[in-house]
Amino acid sequence: MYLQFFGLTEMPFAITPDPRYLYLSARHADALAHLVYGINEAGGFIQLTGEVGTGKTTTIRSLLARAPKNAEIALILNPRLSASEFLHALCGELGLAADDSSDGQTKALVDLLNRYLLNAHAHGQRVVLIVDEAQNLAPDVLEQVRLLTNLETETHKLLQIILIGQPELRKLLAREDLRQIAQRITARYHLEALSSDETYAYVRHRLRVAGATADIFTRAALRAVHRASGGVPRLINVLCDRALLGAYTQDLHEVPASLVRRAAAEVFGQEPGSRWMPAALACLALAVLAGSAVLLWRHAPAQFTLHLRGRPTPARAQAPAAVLPAAATSAPAAAPDAADPAAATPAARTDPSMANLAQLLAAYRDSTNTDSAFLQLLTLWKASYVPSSTDGCTQAKAQGLQCLAQRGSLAQLRLLNRPAILMLSDDSGSMYQVVLRGLTDEAAQVQIGTHLGSVAIAELARYWFGDFVLVWRPATKSVQDLSAGMHGLQVRRLREQLDRWRGAQSPTPGDDYDENLMRLVEQFQRANRLSVDGVAGIETQVALDAAIAAPDSPLLAPPSSPAGTRGG
């Protein structure tokens, strides 16, 4: 639901054990090293334990992806079995067909395994048994597992066994009647929860894998995630997923700590902050009740409420609307107000040449309406616009242009690379429309009426919630998604554009959307960080139009490389 809103390509906090999302903290790296050791070294048991949700299963999946070619791994995920059922499951994992007559006959199954292991050893193969949720093994099954380690040659154990389970596994193996197993464990490791710094890195890692190009959680929000989850990866995933959904429903492109606390209350069925408030209250026990209330009020970070659209806030002090000097920063500064994003976070404008967006909007308020925005945008395309007439997109279409209206991100606009009208909103609910003319990593060039200025990306993000309208010039009058099996002029124009983009010396003729054209579309999508599906949707067509843009057509930034050098 929120993927496009945050510029993501897939769900970043799914609780399935995808090895691509494994974050190798120091603890997880050690755990994985123990498992790799267990595969490559002969003899005994390896024991890996950890609390529920600390990433044991994901670590196993990562191990399977890294297993050497000479290793054959048998993985038993549900060990609630009898001894004979366990042996049958092991034979099944190794591809051994146990005779029906061997049902319930442990010796027949062990003999079958022994012959297989000797043959594997003769061919240089390593056979490894991994038992997940091993704390559920019955004592008699554990004893049978121990007996499997007696399968050996004079110099090598034929079967390496890795036991993975919750902390109860350690208590189980500490029993007196299971001491023979405990004595054969050659390596033990306990996987603990993540530290606060590791939690921050874990969240950012998963977001990057899912396609995020900027931080989505504030630093305070990450602290709240760690407090509420205790650093347990599974709880972090559930909590962050719920917080992203909440931010999406509130049109927030950055997740504040207050939203994480509300998400924790919903997910864990507790009041926000209940996992950490006792400690905080203990620290304040000596304070006077009234003084504590004042302190708590002043410590509520102002930025938690800055992004909420339409939220009543005190009227902000604004610069005089009559004149704004060309260098916006030289204007007399209004008294800082907690409700003013620029005042609340002065670090947002690190470049003194950048304008103060609040002052720009106040000074040129009369030029922030729809007519003014479309007039400036269509002028960039050398097209005309008649104010107070038909809507801007209808006028654009009559001149061979098309509108694309969406809710997205700056990362998406960078990919589309065309000027756009941005819908801005301040804390009082006032709406503004400005034209985005240029975009770098640090600043956005915006046009308000006839005024052109640069504002910091961080400052723009406090007013813009993702709504935009851009204009582009399609290759044909009719515009639609193009996909395999289609035929006609639109397909031919698409092929011609892709040939220009890749710098083909001899263009490929054809009106059919065949497999070759689909591969070219995928190549373009991959090179431009679009969703790779081989379908030339509207976004792909807009990005392609910008990639082969005529020298006089407006772009947000120059193409990064000549069309002929782009590849995927």
Side-chain angles (χ1 to χ4, degrees):
M1 181 180 295
Y2 54 69
L3 295 186
Q4 185 175 2
F5 183 76
F6 288 109
L8 304 174
T9 58
E10 55 186 299
M11 299 294 285
F13 296 106
I15 59 174
T16 52
D18 188 338
R20 295 179 303 124
Y21 284 90
L22 176 63
Y23 167 68
L24 285 178
S25 68
R27 295 171 174 82
H28 286 79
D30 282 348
L32 190 57
H34 277 72
L35 295 179
V36 173
Y37 167 83
I39 289 180
N40 291 296
E41 298 296 327
F45 288 80
I46 301 292
Q47 174 188 306
L48 174 66
T49 55
E51 288 289 352
V52 175
T54 50
K56 300 185 297 297
T57 303
T58 303
T59 304
I60 293 174
R61 297 298 181 186
S62 181
L63 171 70
L64 296 178
R66 302 177 186 209
K69 292 182 179 180
N70 70 329
E72 183 169 3
I73 298 179
L75 176 61
I76 295 181
L77 298 174
N78 179 20
R80 287 185 179 274
L81 305 167
S82 66
S84 62
E85 288 172 337
F86 186 90
L87 292 174
H88 265 288
L90 175 55
C91 289
E93 283 290 311
L94 296 174
L96 302 179
D99 223 342
D100 290 340
S101 61
S102 64
D103 286 350
Q105 298 183 17
T106 301
K107 182 179 185 306
L109 294 171
V110 172
D111 288 344
L112 179 63
L113 284 169
N114 193 38
R115 289 193 298 271
Y116 177 82
L117 294 174
L118 285 170
N119 183 63
H121 176 69
H123 288 84
Q125 293 291 111
R126 297 274 298 122
V127 181
V128 181
L129 168 61
I130 299 178
V131 183
D132 196 11
E133 301 295 343
Q135 77 278 354
N136 294 324
L137 286 169
D140 63 317
V141 178
L142 268 172
E143 176 61 19
Q144 182 59 63
V145 171
R146 180 189 70 82
L147 292 175
L148 290 178
T149 62
N150 289 336
L151 302 177
E152 59 189 358
T153 67
E154 293 181 353
T155 57
H156 290 89
K157 294 286 187 182
L158 298 180
L159 182 65
Q160 178 70 60
I161 299 175
I162 299 176
L163 299 178
I164 299 177
Q166 296 170 20
E168 291 80 2
L169 177 61
R170 292 191 293 182
K171 298 178 181 177
L172 178 62
L173 296 179
R175 288 173 42 166
E176 178 67 19
D177 57 328
L178 296 177
R179 63 186 183 279
Q180 291 191 66
I181 297 177
Q183 291 170 0
R184 297 193 183 195
I185 295 176
T186 58
R188 293 178 173 86
Y189 191 79
H190 184 68
L191 197 59
E192 297 178 353
L194 301 178
S195 67
S196 57
D197 287 341
E198 288 171 341
T199 298
Y200 307 160
Y202 174 85
V203 172
R204 288 168 176 155
H205 167 74
R206 295 189 71 101
L207 287 169
R208 293 293 185 270
V209 173
T213 57
D215 287 340
I216 297 177
F217 287 78
T218 66
R219 186 76 177 180
L222 292 174
R223 288 195 294 269
V225 167
H226 179 71
R227 285 194 296 264
S229 66
V232 176
R234 185 178 299 164
L235 298 183
I236 294 172
N237 289 353
V238 174
L239 181 57
C240 288
D241 179 71
R242 183 62 188 84
L244 287 175
L245 181 60
Y248 168 75
T249 60
Q250 296 184 28
D251 288 339
L252 300 178
H253 280 271
E254 192 175 58
V255 179
S258 56
L259 188 54
V260 171
R261 289 194 287 270
R262 287 198 297 273
E266 296 177 13
V267 170
F268 303 132
Q270 61 182 19
E271 290 302 315
S274 62
R275 293 189 173 210
W276 53 273
M277 278 302 291
L281 292 175
C283 295
L284 295 174
L286 299 180
V288 180
L289 180 61
S292 299
V294 171
L295 286 173
L296 289 172
W297 175 259
R298 292 190 177 184
H299 274 77
Q303 61 265 35
F304 292 169
T305 59
L306 288 179
H307 304 299
L308 298 179
R309 300 179 65 175
R311 188 162 189 161
T313 54
R316 74 173 79 188
Q318 296 181 341
V323 179
L324 182 70
T329 53
S330 64
D337 190 314
D340 186 345
T345 55
R349 291 193 301 115
T350 56
D351 186 344
S353 67
M354 292 186 188
N356 182 302
L357 184 56
Q359 293 179 338
L360 285 177
L361 295 176
Y364 298 98
R365 187 184 184 92
D366 292 341
S367 299
T368 60
N369 53 46
T370 301
D371 280 340
S372 177
F374 265 104
L375 176 62
Q376 301 304 327
L377 182 61
L378 292 184
T379 298
L380 296 177
W381 286 91
K382 298 181 173 57
S384 61
Y385 177 77
V386 180
S388 304
S389 179
T390 56
D391 67 271
C393 289
T394 299
Q395 295 189 45
K397 188 173 182 179
Q399 300 174 77
L401 301 171
Q402 283 283 344
C403 284
L404 175 64
Q406 283 192 358
R407 172 167 293 178
S409 63
L410 288 178
Q412 182 183 8
L413 285 173
R414 283 192 179 94
L415 297 179
L416 300 177
N417 202 21
R418 289 296 191 187
I421 297 174
L422 305 184
M423 286 66 166
L424 308 185
S425 173
D426 63 16
D427 296 321
S428 66
S430 298
M431 305 297 294
Y432 310 88
Q433 296 185 40
V434 303
V435 176
L436 179 68
R437 290 278 303 271
L439 198 57
T440 67
D441 290 339
E442 295 81 22
Q445 188 181 55
V446 296
Q447 182 169 354
I448 307 177
T450 59
H451 181 84
L452 192 64
S454 292
V455 298
I457 294 294
E459 187 175 12
L460 177 64
R462 290 174 172 80
Y463 291 84
W464 184 59
F465 298 92
D467 295 312
F468 69 85
V469 177
L470 63 76
V471 168
W472 63 294
R473 191 180 300 280
T476 60
K477 286 186 177 181
S478 178
V479 177
Q480 62 178 326
D481 290 354
L482 303 176
S483 59
M486 299 183 71
H487 175 88
L489 177 62
Q490 291 173 285
V491 175
R492 187 196 316 162
R493 293 288 182 260
L494 173 64
R495 190 183 295 275
E496 292 171 352
Q497 288 181 310
L498 287 168
D499 283 340
R500 287 175 55 194
W501 169 74
R502 65 194 182 98
Q505 298 300 319
S506 54
T508 307
D511 295 349
D512 295 321
Y513 203 119
D514 53 18
E515 185 174 350
N516 178 60
L517 182 57
M518 185 171 69
R519 296 290 175 263
L520 289 177
V521 171
E522 290 177 346
Q523 179 185 356
F524 174 80
Q525 291 171 332
R526 192 172 294 107
N528 289 273
R529 298 171 62 194
L530 299 165
S531 296
V532 181
D533 55 10
V535 175
I538 302 303
E539 283 196 18
T540 296
Q541 294 179 44
V542 173
L544 180 57
D545 171 59
I548 59 172
D552 60 343
S553 67
L555 297 171
L556 290 179
S560 58
S561 61
T565 65
R566 297 173 189 241

